[in-house]
Amino acid sequence: IYVTFMLLLIIQGFWNFEFIFSCVIPFTFAVLYFDTENVLLDFWEKYTNIVAIICLLSLIFFVLGTNLGIVGPTAIYPSNEVGWGNITYRDYFHLYCDGQEAFAFGYSGARNIALFVEGPMLTFVSCLALYYEFFLRVNGTRKSVIIPIILAIVTSLSTTGMLLIAIMIYLKFYDKIKKNKLIKICFLPVVTAAIVYLGIYVVQDKFVSNVYSASVRADDIMAALKCFLSDPINGIGYNNLEGIDPFRSYSRTNAGLSTGLGGILAYGGLIWSAWDIIPPIVAVKRYITHSQYRDSLGFIFLYVALLVVTVVQSRVLCTLCMTMSWLIIMNPQIAKGRLAIN
C-alpha cells in the first residue's frame, strides 16, 4: 500500500531520485529486513553503537579543536561550496566539523554539530539512540554509551535536545522514584518543576529571546499548514519551496523550511503525511489503555516530536523511523514493551 501511494506521488511530480532512494526504496527494504524482533533489535543496537562513537569523537574534537585549538582543521568549506546557509565550516579529518554558533542558558558560542551542518541534526540522531539505550535495550543501559550521547547533545546547545534528555531521564527512573515514598515526596516535585522550567525556557529561548528566529519559525509552520490546506490530498510537489512562498507572511531571500512534518504535509499532502500521522494517533490510545506498550510506543512520540522541529523528511533514517513506527503499532509482539531476543 505504501509503495502504491508513493508511486502516486511520483506520477504527480515527485519524480526525484532523492525521494525514490530515501523514502520509497528504504521502506521496502526495511519491511523485508525487519522481519523479526531479533533483527530489529540488532539494527538499533548497531545504530546506537555508531552514534555513541560519533558523539565521543565530536566531544574530543569539540574540546581539543573548536575550543582549545590544539587540533587544527584539515579543510575549510565556505558557504558557497557547502550550498547551505551562510556559514563557513571547518573540517577535522572528515570526522567532525564546526562553524555554527548558538545561544543557550546564557552561553553564546560555538556548538558541537559532530558530522552535521547544524545542531538539530545531531539532536535528531542522538535522541533516537538515547531512547533505545534507555527503554528498548534488553541488557540494560551502558554508561559508556549514554554519557557521550548526553554530553554531545548538551554541547550542541540544542534546548529541544536538553528538554528531551530531561524527559527521558525522568521517565526512566519514574518507577523507582514512585516506589520510594521519601524520594517521591521530596524529590519528585523538584524534578517535575525542573522539567517544567526547562520547557518554559525552551519556549522563551525559541520564541521570545530570538524574535527574528521565532517569527521565521512560526511563519514556516503557518505557511506549510496553509499550503497543505490548499491541496490536502496531493500537496504541491517534492521540495517545492517556491510553492510555499505565496503562503508566507513576508518575503525572505532563499527562504527554507524549519519543520520536517510541515514539509511532508505541504509537499505530499495526506498521501505522504498519513504515514507519519496515523502511528502517533494509534499510539496515543494504546499508551493510555495498555501500560505494557509504553516503552516501544514512546519511540513513536519521540520520532514525531523530532520530526516537527527538524528538517529530515527526505533522509533514509526518517523513513526507517516511520517504518518502525508502523511495525510497532501493527505487531503486538513488538508493542508488548521492551524488545526481546528469544
Side-chain angles (χ1 to χ4, degrees), residues 4-19:
T4 301
F5 273 63
M6 295 303 103
L7 288 176
L8 287 174
L9 288 175
I10 292 173
I11 293 172
Q12 297 174 18
F14 272 54
W15 184 252
N16 182 287
F17 282 110
E18 182 184 57
F19 178 74

Side-chain angles (χ1 to χ4, degrees), residues 258-302:
S258 56
T259 167
L261 186 59
I264 292 175
L265 286 165
Y267 298 145
L270 288 174
I271 293 179
W272 190 6
S273 63
W275 301 97
D276 288 293
I277 293 175
I278 293 175
I281 294 175
V282 176
V284 168
K285 180 180 178 181
R286 291 188 181 176
Y287 193 91
I288 295 172
T289 58
H290 298 82
S291 60
Q292 70 271 29
Y293 293 178
R294 290 179 178 175
D295 282 349
S296 53
L297 292 173
F299 176 89
I300 300 176
F301 301 136
L302 174 68

Side-chain angles (χ1 to χ4, degrees), residues 87-149:
I87 300 172
T88 296
Y89 290 92
R90 300 187 300 172
D91 175 67
Y92 296 78
F93 306 99
H94 299 311
L95 298 173
Y96 168 83
C97 65
D98 64 19
Q100 190 182 43
E101 295 188 353
F103 175 85
F105 299 100
Y107 169 81
S108 179
R111 70 192 309 183
N112 180 4
I113 59 176
L115 299 170
F116 309 98
V117 295
E118 59 177 354
M121 300 295 184
L122 174 60
T123 297
F124 182 87
V125 170
S126 301
C127 281
L128 293 172
L130 188 62
Y131 189 89
Y132 164 80
E133 192 70 21
F134 270 150
F135 301 104
L136 300 179
R137 192 170 189 270
V138 176
N139 297 323
T141 58
R142 297 164 292 179
K143 293 180 180 179
S144 59
V145 171
I146 62 174
I147 290 176
I149 291 177

Side-chain angles (χ1 to χ4, degrees), residues 210-271:
N210 194 335
V211 177
Y212 175 74
S213 176
S215 62
V216 168
R217 186 176 293 106
D219 187 48
D220 283 347
I221 294 173
M222 293 305 299
L225 291 177
K226 291 177 183 177
C227 189
F228 163 71
L229 293 175
S230 70
D231 191 346
I233 304 300
N234 303 310
I236 60 170
Y238 183 70
N239 280 354
N240 183 11
L241 280 171
E242 291 79 8
I244 297 179
D245 288 340
F247 298 95
R248 300 183 189 275
S249 298
Y250 53 91
S251 176
R252 304 198 313 267
T253 304
N254 297 323
L257 199 63
S258 56
T259 167
L261 186 59
I264 292 175
L265 286 165
Y267 298 145
L270 288 174
I271 293 179

